Amino acid sequence: MSRFNLVLIYVLSIMIAFLLGIYVAPSVETRLNGQTVASNPVIEEMPPSTADKAAIAAESNTTGSNPIESNPTESSPSPSPEAVVLEDMPSDDDTGPVGDDSEDLSVADTPSGQGIGAPLEFKYSTNSADAVKLTWEADNLTGKRINYYTAHISTFNPVGDPSNDQLNGKSSFSLKYVGPVEPNDTLFIFSDFTYQNTIHTIIIDQLTLQYDDGTIETFDYGYETTDDSGL
């Protein structure tokens, strides 16, 4: 055998030994670990048997010592909190005011439209055709310029029942006039507005004012007349 073959065999032997070591080492380590775990078993503490208990009891009686009995401690219930009475606090059932700091409600300002004065003249007349002409005048005390105003009118007969128009059967009417009416000037109505022969009382229930700033206001007026001496 040549020298070259010997060297080749030697190298191959080393390589085979190296590969065997890599392959065999994990399995050997696993077996060793298994033996190690098995060689150190976990010893669980076993409770004393009945015979052991009897021996301990006999020994304690011989020595005159009393065994210590562990009585479970009964948990005492915690005291319930006492009810807190809030004598100074109002309850939901209170119907009166709370405290003495109630405030008086301020009276609302009178709307500007209610600045129309009491009638300076308020009467009516009836002609031979039963046409009823109303005459009414009052001052503009609103402090505003009035572009349009409407009087809402009701009519009644001598016994207090509504008196109706002979043409349309109505007893309520609206008379609209065009201004302008400057502050402190006079609003007026002078026109035929119904045909009736039993009219006795005329009431201006409400007035609607439209100011030059675009606002509109309707309010109760409530003046009435039975004066039939108008023109």
Side-chain angles (χ1 to χ4, degrees):
M1 184 178 294
S2 65
R3 188 174 183 179
F4 174 77
N5 291 335
L6 292 175
V7 173
L8 181 60
I9 293 171
Y10 177 75
V11 172
L12 291 174
S13 300
I14 293 175
M15 292 178 65
I16 292 170
F18 177 75
L19 293 176
L20 288 175
I22 293 175
Y23 176 77
V24 175
S27 60
V28 174
E29 183 178 0
T30 302
R31 287 196 300 270
L32 291 176
N33 290 338
Q35 292 176 359
T36 303
V37 173
S39 62
N40 294 302
V42 178
I43 301 175
E44 296 182 356
E45 183 177 357
M46 299 297 293
S49 62
T50 304
D52 295 337
K53 292 182 180 179
I56 294 172
E59 182 179 359
S60 62
N61 290 333
T62 303
T63 56
S65 61
N66 295 324
I68 299 175
E69 298 181 358
S70 60
N71 294 326
T73 303
E74 297 179 357
S75 59
S76 59
S78 58
S80 60
E82 297 181 358
V84 179
V85 180
L86 303 178
E87 297 179 353
D88 297 333
M89 297 296 292
S91 65
D92 293 338
D93 298 331
D94 291 341
T95 56
V98 179
D100 297 328
D101 54 353
S102 59
E103 298 179 359
D104 296 333
L105 296 177
S106 60
V107 179
D109 294 335
T110 302
S112 60
Q114 296 190 20
I116 301 300
L120 302 174
E121 187 175 10
F122 192 13
K123 61 180 79 172
Y124 68 92
S125 63
T126 305
N127 63 18
S128 59
D130 294 333
V132 180
K133 178 176 287 186
L134 176 63
T135 302
W136 171 82
E137 294 182 11
D139 289 336
N140 174 17
L141 304 178
T142 64
K144 294 183 177 183
R145 183 183 184 183
I146 300 173
N147 285 349
Y148 302 93
Y149 58 94
T150 303
H152 306 280
I153 299 169
S154 298
T155 57
F156 298 86
N157 61 25
V159 297
D161 294 330
S163 60
N164 301 319
D165 185 89
Q166 296 174 2
L167 300 179
N168 55 30
K170 293 181 179 180
S171 62
S172 298
F173 310 90
S174 295
L175 302 179
K176 185 174 182 178
Y177 278 76
V178 180
V181 182
E182 301 294 337
N184 301 319
D185 282 354
T186 302
L187 293 79
F188 68 89
I189 297 173
F190 185 72
S191 63
D192 298 340
F193 71 98
T194 184
Y195 289 88
Q196 300 186 24
N197 57 11
T198 60
I199 190 169
H200 178 265
T201 304
I202 297 176
I203 301 177
I204 300 179
D205 300 300
Q206 293 181 321
L207 291 174
T208 297
L209 307 180
Q210 181 174 343
Y211 302 105
D212 65 345
D213 60 4
T215 58
I216 300 175
E217 192 170 25
T218 299
F219 58 93
D220 294 335
Y221 191 63
Y223 285 96
E224 66 179 62
T225 186
T226 58
D227 186 351
D228 60 356
S229 63
L231 298 176

